[in-house]
């Protein structure tokens, strides 16, 4: 049904889900995808994903780079850059090497930034080991040591 004999470039936007289109399912793509309509399901792409200003996505997204100008409800995992434009909204967690949130953009969730090079060296943090405890700011990984320091300064 589809031609598999040519190599597809992840730099090309090959698929468009246009305005007025509603889709459900699991989307797996070797190239870029642009969504201007409504999509519900999983998205897995070796290319870039662009959610246009009219796009509404209820999905977890895995892609090389992701640009959000519309609304995304779900987690976004990129191997590269996640950009949330001034009109964009991400209601979910962000996992990216580079995170850009333009003024006016919304990120309602947590963000974890890791570079692939750090994983190879063995010194990277995993998504659950970022040093943040429940209710903590991440500035003190050992809450007892901060009270000891304050006690020594006061005395």
């Amino acid at each position: 049904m589809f031609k598999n004999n040519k190599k597809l470039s992840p730099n090309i936007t090959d698929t468009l889900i246009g305005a007025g289109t509603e889709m459900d399912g699991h989307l797996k793509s070797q190239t870029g995808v642009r969504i201007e309509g409504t999509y519900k399901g999983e998205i897995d792409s070796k290319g870039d994903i662009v959610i246009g200003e009219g796009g509404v996505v209820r999905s977890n997204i895995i892609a090389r780079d992701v640009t959000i100008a519309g609304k995304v409800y779900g987690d976004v995992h990129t191997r590269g850059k996640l950009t949330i434009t001034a009109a964009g909204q991400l209601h979910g967690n962000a996992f990216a090497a580079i995170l850009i949130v333009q003024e006016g953009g919304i990120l309602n969730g947590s963000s974890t930034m890791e570079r692939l090079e750090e994983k190879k060296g063995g010194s990277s943090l995993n998504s659950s080991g970022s040093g943040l405890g429940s209710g903590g700011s991440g500035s003190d990984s050992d809450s007892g040591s901060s009270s000891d320091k304050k006690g020594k300064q006061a005395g």
Side-chain angles (χ1 to χ4, degrees), residues 10 29-31 43-49 61-66 76-82 95-98 114-117 119:
S29 177
Q30 299 296 314
T31 61
I43 298 174
D44 186 357
S45 176
K46 292 194 187 291
D48 299 342
I49 301 292
I61 300 171
I62 299 172
R64 184 178 64 179
D65 291 332
V66 176
V76 175
H77 295 258
T78 70
R79 294 177 283 282
K81 179 170 48 173
L82 169 60
F95 302 87
I98 300 168
E114 293 182 336
R115 290 195 173 84
L116 293 176
E117 296 80 25
K119 287 183 180 180

Side-chain angles (χ1 to χ4, degrees), residues 73-153:
Y73 299 91
D75 295 343
V76 175
H77 295 258
T78 70
R79 294 177 283 282
K81 179 170 48 173
L82 169 60
T83 303
I84 302 173
T85 69
Q89 298 180 22
L90 172 57
H91 302 277
N93 300 317
F95 302 87
I98 300 168
L99 174 63
I100 299 170
V101 181
Q102 295 178 352
E103 186 175 343
I106 295 172
L107 170 57
N108 285 327
S110 67
S111 63
T112 301
M113 297 177 63
E114 293 182 336
R115 290 195 173 84
L116 293 176
E117 296 80 25
E118 290 177 352
K119 287 183 180 180
K120 291 177 186 174
S123 64
S124 71
L125 298 173
N126 62 29
S127 60
S128 63
S130 62
L132 297 178
S134 59
S137 65
S139 59
D140 289 318
S141 60
D142 181 8
S143 59
S145 65
S146 64
S147 62
D148 291 342
K149 289 177 188 174
K150 288 178 186 174
K152 288 179 185 176
Q153 290 173 354

Side-chain angles (χ1 to χ4, degrees), residues 14-76:
D14 194 45
T15 304
L16 170 66
I17 299 172
T21 302
E22 295 180 17
M23 290 187 68
D24 292 338
H26 184 91
L27 176 62
K28 189 168 185 175
S29 177
Q30 299 296 314
T31 61
V33 177
R34 182 175 184 94
I35 300 173
E36 295 288 345
T38 302
Y39 184 85
K40 183 178 179 183
E42 299 297 314
I43 298 174
D44 186 357
S45 176
K46 292 194 187 291
D48 299 342
I49 301 292
V50 177
I51 312 301
E53 285 192 27
V56 178
V57 174
R58 296 181 186 284
S59 171
N60 292 324
I61 300 171
I62 299 172
R64 184 178 64 179
D65 291 332
V66 176
T67 301
I68 301 172
K71 296 178 183 176
V72 174
Y73 299 91
D75 295 343
V76 175

